[in-house]
Amino acid sequence: MFGYRVPAPDEAMLISGGRRGLGGAPFRVVTGHGKFVLPVFRKTRFLTLAMCEAEVTETCVTRQGIALNVRAVIAFKVGNDTESIINAGQRFLSDQDQMSVLTGRIFAGHLRSIIGSMTVEEIVTERQKLAAEVLDTSKTEMAKIGLIVDSLQIQSIDDGEVGYIDAMSAPHKAAIQRQAQIAQAQATQASAEAQQVAARNQAEYARQTAVVQAEYSAEVDRAQAQAAQAGPLAQAHAQQEVLAAQTELAERQAKLRQQQLVAEVVKPAEAEAERIRLLANAEAQRMKIQAEAASSYDRVALDRMLIDQLPQIVKEAAGGLAGANVNVLNGADGLGEIAAGLVSQGLTILDSVRQNLNGNENEGRRPDTAATLLQLQAKKDGNDKRNGGDGPVDIDR
């Protein structure tokens, strides 16, 4: 639109002309928005608010009297407030490049002043402290001209051909070199150890590889040997199975032959022996029965004979008493007792004969009837002699 002006984001628009609304300021400041400006009656100029740079290269003398070449870079700009814009506009609006020149000169003076109060060691080791002191001392002056400093960087410090800084750094260089040599030696040692470890690992790997190859070769050889022996082994196993089958067949044939021999020879022989044994037992039983029958017959005949002879035996015993002087003390009872004694004597003789017969039978001998009768007669004769026939016989109860 005709007469309407708008400043850039990094510019301040300065409108001069007219006295209304200025409040004592020589011009009106507009930033961040547009403004309608009457042509002919108002004049518009623009002041940059962008960042500017000033470089300082200055020879400064330290407190020790050593000259140092110092190079520094200053970053600055016009302040954003209205007062700073008015101050900077009044000083640099017609030639804004002078801001860098004037800023460099201001900082050069403060840099010489501050370095003159410090030693080389402080300047070299405490550059940040040097920059902070320079900023503090120049802040007031820069605010008066409407400028603010964003940063100050000391780029380099050099003593030329004096060699003070080199001498000062020599111990550090030596220490650094020593550390570097130590580090290099350690690195070399570590490298040698790593190479040795790698060589050992390679040797171990080669050994393991050789062992594995040998084991593989041995396994291959065993497999080949087993494969080569498979045929003979199979044939030997087959022959062994054939021999086992033949042996089993022979054992079965032997068992069958043994069974045949048992059936043809042993069994008939056992049957014949059993028949003979049975016949012998039968014959022995028959003879035993005959012997028992004969023995029973003889014993019955003997008992009958003894019974028949018993009266005679009693008679003979009584006859022995015929000529004897017998005194009977108790009358008829005494005579009865004498008769009973005679009968008892006869029965005793009969029992003795029977016991003799039974003893002979237990010993397996057949009784002899004649011998038994002879023994009976001898016993009778003995009794007669003991009685004497002459002495008196006293019978007492």
Side-chain angles (χ1 to χ4, degrees):
M1 179 179 235
F2 183 77
Y4 190 79
R5 307 295 298 274
V6 179
D10 58 348
E11 290 180 339
M13 185 172 60
L14 307 181
I15 301 173
S16 60
R19 304 290 298 177
R20 188 176 63 180
L22 297 179
F27 46 80
R28 184 179 300 167
V29 178
V30 178
T31 58
H33 59 87
K35 190 73 174 176
F36 182 78
V37 179
L38 291 175
V40 182
F41 298 99
R42 301 286 187 272
K43 188 175 182 179
T44 304
R45 301 288 298 275
F46 293 95
L47 178 65
T48 180
L49 301 178
M51 180 66 66
C52 299
E53 180 181 310
E55 183 174 348
V56 177
T57 302
E58 191 69 22
T59 301
C60 306
V61 180
T62 65
R63 187 175 62 185
Q64 301 162 321
I66 299 173
L68 298 177
N69 297 321
V70 181
R71 180 175 176 271
V73 177
I74 303 101
F76 67 94
K77 66 182 291 294
V78 178
N80 293 328
D81 59 294
T82 302
E83 182 179 0
S84 298
I85 292 173
I86 291 174
N87 291 333
Q90 289 177 339
R91 291 170 175 81
F92 307 109
L93 186 59
S94 59
D95 189 3
Q96 299 185 23
D97 293 336
Q98 288 296 321
M99 290 190 293
S100 299
V101 176
L102 182 58
T103 301
R105 290 175 181 176
I106 292 172
F107 273 90
H110 289 290
L111 195 59
R112 286 194 301 270
S113 174
I114 293 172
I115 288 177
S117 63
M118 298 176 66
T119 62
V120 178
E121 289 80 4
E122 293 176 348
I123 295 170
V124 173
T125 58
E126 299 180 2
R127 291 189 180 187
Q128 192 63 32
K129 179 180 177 181
L130 173 62
E133 291 183 1
V134 172
L135 285 175
D136 290 339
T137 56
S138 63
K139 186 180 297 183
T140 303
E141 294 183 18
M142 294 293 288
K144 289 180 180 181
I145 61 178
L147 301 178
I148 57 175
V149 180
D150 288 339
S151 67
L152 170 64
Q153 297 293 330
I154 306 299
Q155 295 291 325
S156 63
I157 299 174
D158 186 13
D159 60 354
E161 297 179 358
V162 177
Y164 186 88
I165 296 177
D166 292 337
M168 185 181 65
S169 62
H172 301 287
K173 289 181 179 180
I176 292 173
Q177 290 177 357
R178 183 172 61 254
Q179 293 177 357
Q181 291 175 356
I182 293 172
Q184 183 64 34
Q186 292 177 350
T188 302
Q189 182 179 0
S191 177
E193 292 177 354
Q195 290 177 357
Q196 292 176 359
V197 171
R200 287 197 297 269
N201 292 335
Q202 290 178 356
E204 181 64 20
Y205 180 76
R207 185 187 68 81
Q208 293 178 357
T209 302
V211 170
V212 172
Q213 290 178 351
E215 292 178 353
Y216 179 75
S217 299
E219 186 175 357
V220 171
D221 294 339
R222 286 195 298 270
Q224 291 178 352
Q226 292 177 357
Q229 294 175 357
L233 287 175
Q235 185 176 2
H237 286 306
Q239 292 177 356
Q240 185 176 1
E241 292 178 357
V242 171
L243 292 175
Q246 292 177 353
T247 302
E248 184 179 359
L249 179 60
E251 291 177 354
R252 291 182 178 178
Q253 291 177 352
K255 289 181 180 180
L256 180 59
R257 181 57 182 165
Q258 183 178 2
Q259 294 175 357
Q260 291 176 353
L261 290 175
V262 169
E264 295 175 357
V265 178
V266 176
K267 293 297 182 180
E270 291 180 352
E272 182 64 21
E274 182 66 19
R275 186 182 66 80
I276 294 171
R277 186 181 65 81
L278 293 176
L279 292 175
N281 290 336
E283 182 65 22
Q285 188 69 20
R286 185 182 65 78
M287 293 176 66
K288 180 179 179 182
I289 293 170
Q290 290 177 356
E292 290 178 353
S295 176
S296 298
Y297 176 79
D298 292 339
R299 186 166 56 250
V300 171
L302 180 59
D303 290 342
R304 183 175 295 175
M305 184 182 295
L306 289 176
I307 293 170
D308 293 339
Q309 293 295 328
L310 182 58
Q312 184 63 31
I313 291 172
V314 174
K315 181 179 178 181
E316 291 296 331
L321 295 175
N325 187 12
V326 179
N327 294 323
V328 179
L329 299 180
N330 52 358
D333 294 334
L335 291 175
E337 291 178 356
I338 292 172
L342 293 174
V343 175
S344 177
Q345 186 176 3
L347 292 174
T348 301
I349 294 170
L350 180 60
D351 290 335
S352 178
V353 173
R354 288 178 176 176
Q355 290 178 359
N356 191 11
L357 292 175
N358 291 331
N360 291 330
E361 290 178 358
N362 292 332
E363 292 177 0
R365 298 192 300 269
R366 295 182 63 185
D368 190 352
T369 305
T372 302
L373 293 176
L374 290 175
Q375 289 177 359
L376 182 60
Q377 185 64 38
K379 185 179 291 187
K380 176 179 177 297
D381 293 338
N383 289 331
D384 292 341
K385 287 180 181 182
R386 281 194 302 271
N387 292 330
D390 294 332
V393 178
D394 295 332
I395 298 174
D396 193 5
R397 292 182 67 177

